[in-house]
Amino acid sequence: MVERETPTPAIEALRRPISHVWFGGDYNPEQWPEAVLLEDIDLMQQAAVNTATVGVFSWAALEPQPGEYDFGWLDAALDRLHSAGVKVILATPTASPPPWFSRLHPEALPVTPDGVRLIHGSRDTYNPAAPAYRDAARRITRVLAERYGDHPALAMWHLHNEYGTVSYGPVTDVAATWNTAFWSQVYSSWEDIHAPQRTQYIPNPAHLLDFKRFSSDMLLRCLRDQLEIVREVTPGVPTTTNFMLPTWHHYDEWDFARELDVVTIDHYPEDGPSGDAQVAFAADLARSFAGGRPWLLMEQATSLVYDYAGGRMLAKAPGRMRRNTYQYLARGSFGSLFFQWRAPRVGAEFFHSAMVPHVGPDSRIFREIRDLGAELAGVPELSAGPIEGRVVESRTAIVWDSTAWWATETRMLPSADVAYLPALRRVHEALWRSGVTADFVDPNGDPSQYDLVLVPSMIAVSDSQREAFDRFVANGGHLAVWYLSGSTDEHLRVREGSYSAAFAELAGVRVEEHAPLRDGQNLTLSEGTCASAWSEVLHVRGAEVVASYGADAPAVIAPGSAAITRNVRGSGVVHYFSTRVEGDDLQRHLARIVADAGIEAAVLPDGVEHVVRRTKTGALRIFINHTERAQTVRATGRNVLSNTDVDGDVAVAAGDVLIVRIETSPEGSRK
């Protein structure tokens, strides 16, 4: 989690007026005639909308020619929204420069890894390293801040949109720490160094990793450009930019979060039960980036689920939007915003679902939105705070590391089955199904507030990170480490003596050899665990063997040798997995590890999610039934949604939510 200093004036300004859940979405008044805009206000009031995000992609409408501005439509929109009691999150439009900018500054267009310069015609057509782009972005940001800084509707600055454009144009200011002796890559002049565009064969992995770090730093500079301006002009207005979670990963979220007053995310989960697990995953990430404080869901879809593999858009089942919304709120969001308010008639996203669909308010989707808005208006405890401490308590954390993600994208690793995001999602989902709420932790931060820290697929570990993990265990922490983690330093230089060397001594093991498995090849471990994808020649050096390989292991592995281990190290414990374990088996092993760390998991029916969220006055115990049948849970307190008291067994209908007000949170942190 991000460590937070004393709240800034902007954060205090955000906290004071909030007595309700933020509810609304992206609003594009520049796209509609006056009659539609008047209807919008009426429909917003019907749906209890109190928040609108305005101006996200409006640069061409605001600045139709260089230095010539048209603010009439935006003035009218903000005035109209304010009169209706709707606060505005005002966006800087810098994610989509206007066509005239691309024409005048072709050098600022993005370049692909193949060296192709893209032309205007979509969004994000800019190179973040281009001086002309950064200058133009600063100008439009200052103009907006100076014009609207005192507008009574302004509640927050939304800087840019989904930062993530990467360009492979010339790079002149990146420090290099590559193994350049290999394949005659010793550089003697800065003029010889280029962004890693397409090359003859396998590129230098350290070169690729450093370019990803450079691109992340470049985007961070662009964000800081805008932050400096809006904080100068409007020091009391909170700032944010929306993280696109979890797959749009082109910058270090910990670095970005440290710059912002509020963490916000856009999230579009998958279909089916895995999508519900993914909602919890993204919400826990957002809360962790926010340092445990309340955060904001900037975008979700009312009905749309992308099926990228199948090339189609799926509809959410009735009730799923409400159920997922309460997942985000339970895990720390102080609002539920959507993309977008009204479905557009034209443009690239013309069939993206919206709060008001093409068919209008006489629709299932709008009725669900209207009902949800009315319901959320009756749960003011789910607003932002002020809350002392963390909004959701957790004693378990998973390491989230950008370098680890980028490193596993490297070609010529022993296996392609070490991808970072799937590894983290497997671990998080197993905890989620076991009733354990998890945070995520920065590997460069302080893990001491947790009892248990889990480290999947973190190939690159620096010496300082290794020392921090050592201290964590020495102080009584429990650590779980997966194969390949710690095999290199932060520059992708392989550590010698043992694979997973950053953790091997701590875990009481030595990894002599990797033995990746073929696609579809499964192994059965000694206690019945099904393993796949990866195996290792593992020697114990003081560790206890929890599970061993059998006769079906690769020939280089002796039957009976260790596969999963547990090592007592001082007052701490280290668990090591030398193979992939999934599903029920992973859930069982993590339940063992969680119990070993002294953490009590919630006892729940399968398919029921449970979170305790702290509020200004106490806490809410939130149960979410993801199944298609009624489930029974135990709770005592005030049912917030029905305004009745409950005590003992309570039935939660299929797909329904139970929110019980309790006086104080029963959960606490380790230290």
Side-chain angles (χ1 to χ4, degrees):
M1 282 174 27
V2 171
E3 298 298 324
R4 291 287 174 179
E5 299 177 353
T6 302
T8 65
I11 293 176
E12 294 297 345
L14 172 66
R15 288 178 172 182
R16 283 193 297 271
I18 294 184
S19 59
H20 54 263
V21 173
W22 291 33
F23 186 68
D26 276 50
Y27 184 43
N28 302 287
E30 71 273 24
Q31 299 178 11
W32 298 98
E34 184 72 12
V36 173
L37 300 180
L38 294 175
E39 182 189 33
D40 284 337
I41 296 299
D42 177 60
L43 294 177
M44 286 181 183
Q45 292 177 328
Q46 289 184 37
V49 165
N50 55 47
T51 309
T53 304
V54 181
V56 174
F57 295 119
S58 63
W59 197 342
L62 290 168
E63 191 178 6
Q65 294 297 328
E68 297 179 8
Y69 301 103
D70 179 4
F71 294 113
W73 66 270
L74 188 53
D75 291 347
L78 267 60
D79 291 346
R80 187 184 298 111
L81 291 166
H82 177 64
S83 296
V86 178
K87 59 181 167 289
V88 170
I89 300 173
L90 185 57
T92 58
T94 51
S96 284
W100 59 257
F101 176 81
S102 299
R103 170 171 47 83
L104 295 176
H105 298 284
E107 81 285 358
L109 289 166
V111 176
T112 71
D114 292 307
V116 176
R117 177 172 290 168
L118 302 178
I119 64 170
H120 199 94
S122 183
R123 56 187 275 189
D124 299 302
T125 47
Y126 65 90
N127 180 345
Y133 168 74
R134 291 181 65 185
D135 288 345
R138 283 191 287 259
R139 284 195 302 271
I140 191 66
T141 298
R142 181 168 293 277
V143 167
L144 286 170
E146 291 177 347
R147 186 172 186 91
Y148 297 107
D150 293 328
H151 197 287
L154 179 62
M156 187 185 297
W157 285 110
H158 176 328
L159 304 177
H160 201 79
N161 181 77
E162 297 177 349
Y163 274 106
T165 297
V166 174
S167 178
Y168 291 78
V171 176
T172 60
D173 58 347
V174 60
T177 51
W178 317 323
N179 176 10
T180 54
F182 191 75
W183 282 355
S184 188
Q185 291 182 19
V186 176
Y187 296 96
S188 58
S189 171
W190 284 107
E191 286 75 16
D192 295 332
I193 299 175
H194 304 281
Q197 298 180 33
R198 201 76 66 200
T199 189
Q200 172 64 20
Y201 187 35
I202 302 168
N204 188 329
H207 184 190
L208 294 173
L209 179 58
D210 269 358
F211 178 71
K212 290 178 184 294
R213 288 173 170 145
F214 166 81
S215 297
S216 174
D217 289 346
M218 195 73 254
L219 293 173
L220 184 61
R221 293 175 201 172
C222 291
L223 172 65
R224 286 172 172 165
D225 286 347
Q226 299 190 33
L227 283 168
E228 180 180 354
I229 293 167
V230 298
R231 285 177 173 159
E232 171 199 337
V233 179
T234 60
V237 179
T239 59
T240 192
T241 190
N242 47 340
F243 297 3
M244 181 65 174
L245 293 181
T247 54
W248 189 241
H249 186 67
H250 299 292
Y251 56 83
D252 186 289
E253 291 88 354
W254 300 113
D255 287 345
F256 265 55
R258 276 184 279 268
E259 302 286 337
L260 301 169
D261 297 315
V262 181
V263 167
T264 61
I265 70 167
D266 298 350
H267 194 239
Y268 297 91
E270 301 164 354
D271 194 28
S274 63
D276 297 328
Q278 191 182 12
V279 169
F281 180 84
D284 287 345
L285 269 174
R287 185 185 64 255
S288 301
F289 295 145
R293 296 186 299 112
W295 54 277
L296 178 61
L297 177 65
M298 183 67 76
E299 289 184 23
Q300 66 164 317
T302 54
S303 184
L304 168 69
V305 179
Y306 282 116
D307 174 13
Y308 290 103
R312 58 181 60 86
M313 301 176 183
L314 306 176
K316 290 182 180 178
R320 181 180 174 185
M321 177 186 67
R322 172 180 179 265
R323 190 175 75 247
N324 289 162
T325 293
Y326 276 111
Q327 284 186 271
Y328 296 115
L329 294 168
R331 294 174 183 269
S333 181
F334 61 86
S336 175
L337 307 182
F338 294 83
F339 184 84
Q340 55 187 324
W341 165 250
R342 184 180 285 274
R345 297 180 61 194
V346 297
E349 294 182 307
F350 61 156
F351 282 107
H352 194 295
S353 67
M355 301 171 78
V356 181
H358 293 115
V359 299
D362 184 13
S363 59
R364 173 188 68 85
I365 291 174
F366 185 75
R367 285 189 287 272
E368 287 195 28
I369 283 290
R370 183 191 59 208
D371 294 345
L372 179 59
E375 187 172 79
L376 293 178
V379 195
E381 294 101 320
L382 291 171
S383 62
I387 297 170
E388 295 300 325
R390 294 183 288 172
V391 66
V392 175
E393 297 289 353
S394 175
R395 297 168 58 191
T396 303
I398 304 168
V399 172
W400 175 277
D401 181 37
S402 294
T403 292
W405 181 316
W406 296 328
T408 58
E409 294 175 342
T410 300
R411 291 174 60 189
M412 295 305 291
L413 291 175
S415 170
D417 287 326
V418 295
Y420 188 67
L421 180 60
L424 265 68
R425 285 193 59 186
R426 281 192 294 271
V427 171
H428 183 276
E429 182 169 348
L431 293 171
W432 177 72
R433 294 187 183 281
S434 299
V436 177
T437 302
D439 286 342
F440 291 84
V441 65
D442 183 350
N444 298 307
D446 178 13
S448 64
Q449 62 189 300
Y450 300 100
D451 289 325
L452 173 63
V453 173
L454 303 111
V455 189
S457 209
M458 186 181 174
I459 179 174
V461 174
S462 69
D463 287 345
S464 62
Q465 291 169 344
R466 179 191 61 190
E467 291 165 3
F469 287 122
D470 286 352
R471 287 193 301 272
F472 171 72
V473 174
N475 290 330
H478 287 237
L479 190 70
V481 180
W482 275 256
Y483 53 88
L484 199 64
S485 297
S487 290
T488 78
D489 68 9
E490 69 273 28
H491 305 302
L492 292 186
R493 293 181 294 216
V494 177
R495 295 179 179 274
E496 297 181 326
S498 169
Y499 294 114
S500 300
F503 299 106
E505 182 180 353
L506 197 62
V509 300
R510 177 174 178 262
V511 183
E512 179 185 350
E513 188 174 351
H514 298 145
L517 304 179
R518 295 180 177 86
D519 286 345
Q521 182 181 1
N522 294 323
L523 308 178
T524 301
L525 304 186
S526 57
E527 34 67 90
T529 292
C530 179
S532 64
W534 186 275
S535 62
E536 293 178 337
V537 177
L538 184 66
H539 305 283
V540 294
R541 295 290 186 266
E544 166 196 352
V545 178
V546 174
S548 304
Y549 289 107
D552 56 358
V556 296
I557 297 177
S561 60
I564 301 172
T565 62
R566 175 185 183 273
N567 188 47
V568 177
R569 178 87 169 191
S571 58
V573 176
V574 183
H575 304 265
Y576 185 80
F577 289 81
S578 71
T579 186
R580 179 187 292 177
V581 180
E582 301 181 83
D584 292 343
D585 287 327
L586 179 58
Q587 189 172 332
R588 175 170 51 83
H589 278 286
L590 289 183
R592 167 181 60 83
I593 292 170
V594 165
D596 198 19
I599 300 170
E600 185 176 349
V603 179
L604 299 165
D606 288 343
V608 174
E609 181 174 350
H610 168 258
V611 181
V612 175
R613 171 172 169 160
R614 300 178 65 234
T615 71
K616 293 172 286 189
T617 57
L620 298 174
R621 189 183 295 279
I622 303 174
F623 299 90
I624 304 169
N625 183 0
H626 294 289
T627 74
E628 296 180 355
R629 62 187 184 279
Q631 301 282 7
T632 299
V633 300
R634 293 190 63 81
T636 299
R638 189 74 172 176
N639 184 333
V640 173
L641 298 182
S642 68
N643 201 28
T644 59
D645 290 330
V646 297
D647 186 12
D649 290 344
V650 184
V652 184
D656 203 1
V657 176
L658 171 67
I659 303 178
V660 178
R661 184 184 297 116
I662 54 181
E663 291 303 316
T664 57
S665 172
E667 300 181 24
S669 58
R670 173 173 174 259
K671 296 182 180 177

